[in-house]
Amino acid sequence: MSRVPFKEQVLRVREDAIVEAVNRLLVSKGYDLMTVDEVAAEAGMSKASLYKHFTSKEELAAAAMVRVMDRTLAVVEGRRDQSADASALEQLRAVVRWTLQVQLAGEMPTLPSHNSRLVSTLKEHRAYMDRLLQLSEFLGEWITEAQAQGDINPDLPPELVLFTLFARACDPVLPLLKAGGQYQDDDLVDWVCATTFSGLTGPVPAKARRIRNAA
Amino acid sequence: MSRVPFKEQVLRVREDAIVEAVNRLLVSKGYDLMTVDEVAAEAGMSKASLYKHFTSKEELAAAAMVRVMDRTLAVVEGRRDQSADASALEQLRAVVRWTLQVQLAGEMPTLPSHNSRLVSTLKEHRAYMDRLLQLSEFLGEWITEAQAQGDINPDLPPELVLFTLFARACDPVLPLLKAGGQYQDDDLVDWVCATTFSGLTGPVPAKARRIRNAA
DNA sequence: GTCTATACCCGGATAGAC
DNA sequence: GTCTATCCGGGTATAGAC
């Protein structure tokens, strides 16, 4: 077996602690209000040490996004291999469900789209862009398959479907309802998942359809 | 007729210019990256003068939100009075369409939900909260009516429906697709509106339903 | 590589003359 | 009420000793 130098292991552990802290802070305060001092404090080191691992605040954010991308890719690839009998629509629905659960668990980081420095850092970031493209391809296959089977509206551009699914990762509806505090997490996930695929109208029972069409 | 003092007219005009500038900057850079210096420059006055009208950056943001609320309330009340024959669902759909168009036109301001100072300023802000509640009541009536008629899924909490509609005002799908630049604005509005009410599955033609249910 | 201390800058808010 | 000039907190990033 190949020996991993002890020093590198320590390095990895510390960097994991940093990225973990960034993730927590991105969730709780958002990128702009997150300070590098806080990250260092949460990760248990000084700010200067932190800057030896990551060269800028933008790089910290990118690392957190890489981490969540890896988690997502693991889920997607897992379902590819082990639930290959599921329909494309079911696969997509399962991924959305998982995304909503991660968000409810307070583990889904998001970044402000307005910050142009941050956006360009991400666009240059190989590790991040590779994973983003990889994920888009996986989902894209399921999307076109579901459209071919008529499970997703074939008139919609696949791009729009993809973005709509991505958008569930930062859907404001979930935190708003959770803040109200009068619903079970599972119900929230069910409802948002249902509206994503079936809309507010909902899956129309045959009876209601007849009545409405008659009107 | 009651005479409006000239000085007050000037005041109003200048404050309109300020709020207009804030709106533009909120759209283009977002709250965090918007600086009060920029607002003053765009409004054509010095920062110190600006602070005579609005006492803080948060108040500026609140004023912009009041403005967009007023625009929205005008649309809603207009449809109430002049399109009273439309179904509740049609009314809601029309409001969503209008919202999406405003967003595409680059006139829809949004605020970061993470900033707790900002959030508490808004919660204390009478003018803003009054309008928010008023709008929620108007939409709430249409929502329960549409649910009673079976046009909106009655199993969904009205709250969730309301939040889902509100969320269209800051839907990231629209700007993402617009950035791609290969679709007409009208199509984008149609598609997002369709997915909001009918979901990604889309309005299911009877034929497809039979085929799928048989499988 | 880790720390303490600090340079440097930017942005919100204000002082004080007019 | 408007301006110029300034304060001051806080944030990113770095210097330099260990």
Side-chain angles (χ1 to χ4, degrees), chain B residues 43-102:
Chain B
M45 72 189 65
S46 75
K47 185 161 56 167
S49 301
L50 193 157
Y51 269 98
K52 296 285 182 182
H53 295 278
F54 298 90
T55 62
S56 71
K57 187 181 175 183
E58 287 87 8
E59 290 289 333
L60 287 173
M65 297 314 286
V66 166
R67 183 171 168 277
V68 71
M69 282 289 181
D70 278 337
R71 287 185 66 184
T72 311
L73 281 169
V75 169
V76 168
E77 288 172 355
R79 287 200 64 88
R80 273 209 140 206
D81 300 340
Q82 294 170 20
S83 311
D85 52 332
S87 74
L89 177 66
E90 284 166 342
Q91 298 285 35
L92 292 173
R93 199 190 297 271
V95 175
V96 168
R97 287 190 70 83
W98 176 82
T99 304
L100 297 173
Q101 279 158 355
V102 172

Side-chain angles (χ1 to χ4, degrees), chain A residues 22-95:
Chain A
V22 171
N23 202 85
R24 270 197 304 275
L25 287 164
L26 284 181
V27 171
S28 62
K29 331 186 60 171
Y31 179 80
D32 291 298
L33 271 60
M34 171 184 91
T35 72
V36 179
D37 294 75
E38 286 169 329
V39 176
E42 282 230 11
M45 73 189 66
S46 76
K47 187 163 52 169
S49 301
L50 193 156
Y51 269 99
K52 296 282 182 184
H53 296 278
F54 297 91
T55 62
S56 71
K57 187 181 176 182
E58 286 87 10
E59 291 289 331
L60 287 173
M65 297 314 286
V66 166
R67 182 171 169 278
V68 72
M69 282 290 181
D70 278 336
R71 288 185 66 184
T72 311
L73 281 169
V75 169
V76 168
E77 288 172 355
R79 289 200 63 88
R80 272 209 139 206
D81 302 338
Q82 293 170 20
S83 312
D85 52 332
S87 74
L89 177 65
E90 284 166 341
Q91 298 285 35
L92 291 172
R93 199 191 297 271
V95 175

Side-chain angles (χ1 to χ4, degrees), chain A residues 130-203:
Chain A
D130 284 351
R131 286 160 177 79
L132 180 61
L133 290 177
Q134 177 81 74
L135 180 59
S136 298
E137 277 175 30
F138 281 150
L139 296 181
E141 280 183 35
W142 280 335
I143 289 170
T144 49
E145 195 181 326
Q147 287 185 307
Q149 293 170 349
D151 286 337
I152 286 188
N153 186 346
D155 296 333
L156 299 174
E159 226 181 336
L160 178 136
V161 179
L162 180 67
F163 292 162
T164 301
L165 298 180
F166 275 150
R168 292 290 81 76
C170 57
D171 194 319
V173 172
L174 222 42
L176 281 173
L177 280 173
K178 192 175 173 65
Q182 52 180 323
Y183 303 110
Q184 303 290 329
D185 281 7
D186 288 346
D187 289 333
L188 297 183
V189 171
D190 284 344
W191 288 329
V192 173
C193 200
T195 59
T196 300
F197 289 96
S198 302
L200 295 173
T201 299

Side-chain angles (χ1 to χ4, degrees), chain A residues 151 153 159 197 200-201 212, chain B residues 151 153 183 197 200-201 212:
Chain A
D151 286 337
N153 186 346
E159 226 181 336
F197 289 96
L200 295 173
T201 299
R212 184 137 32 89
Chain B
D151 286 336
N153 186 347
Y183 303 109
F197 289 95
L200 295 172
T201 300
R212 185 133 33 89

Side-chain angles (χ1 to χ4, degrees), chain B residues 29-212:
Chain B
K29 330 186 63 172
Y31 178 80
D32 291 299
L33 270 59
M34 171 185 91
T35 72
V36 179
D37 294 76
E38 285 169 330
V39 176
E42 281 230 13
M45 72 189 65
S46 75
K47 185 161 56 167
S49 301
L50 193 157
Y51 269 98
K52 296 285 182 182
H53 295 278
F54 298 90
T55 62
S56 71
K57 187 181 175 183
E58 287 87 8
E59 290 289 333
L60 287 173
M65 297 314 286
V66 166
R67 183 171 168 277
V68 71
M69 282 289 181
D70 278 337
R71 287 185 66 184
T72 311
L73 281 169
V75 169
V76 168
E77 288 172 355
R79 287 200 64 88
R80 273 209 140 206
D81 300 340
Q82 294 170 20
S83 311
D85 52 332
S87 74
L89 177 66
E90 284 166 342
Q91 298 285 35
L92 292 173
R93 199 190 297 271
V95 175
V96 168
R97 287 190 70 83
W98 176 82
T99 304
L100 297 173
Q101 279 158 355
V102 172
Q103 207 199 341
L104 269 180
E107 296 170 358
M108 182 64 78
T110 55
L111 297 180
S113 58
H114 281 110
N115 191 328
S116 60
R117 283 179 53 94
L118 180 56
V119 169
S120 69
T121 298
L122 283 174
K123 281 201 207 158
E124 311 285 311
H125 201 284
R126 269 298 286 280
Y128 171 75
M129 287 304 292
D130 284 351
R131 285 159 177 79
L132 180 61
L133 290 177
Q134 177 81 73
L135 179 59
S136 298
E137 278 174 30
F138 281 150
L139 296 181
E141 280 183 36
W142 280 335
I143 288 170
T144 51
E145 196 181 325
Q147 286 185 309
Q149 294 170 348
D151 286 336
I152 287 187
N153 186 347
D155 296 333
L156 299 174
E159 225 181 335
L160 178 136
V161 178
L162 180 67
F163 292 162
T164 302
L165 298 180
F166 276 150
R168 292 291 81 75
C170 58
D171 194 319
V173 172
L174 222 43
L176 280 173
L177 281 172
K178 192 177 172 65
Q182 51 181 323
Y183 303 109
Q184 303 290 327
D185 282 7
D186 288 346
D187 289 333
L188 296 183
V189 171
D190 284 344
W191 288 329
V192 173
C193 200
T195 58
T196 300
F197 289 95
S198 303
L200 295 172
T201 300
V204 186
K207 192 179 64 175
R209 278 179 71 84
R210 272 205 312 280
I211 293 171
R212 185 133 33 89

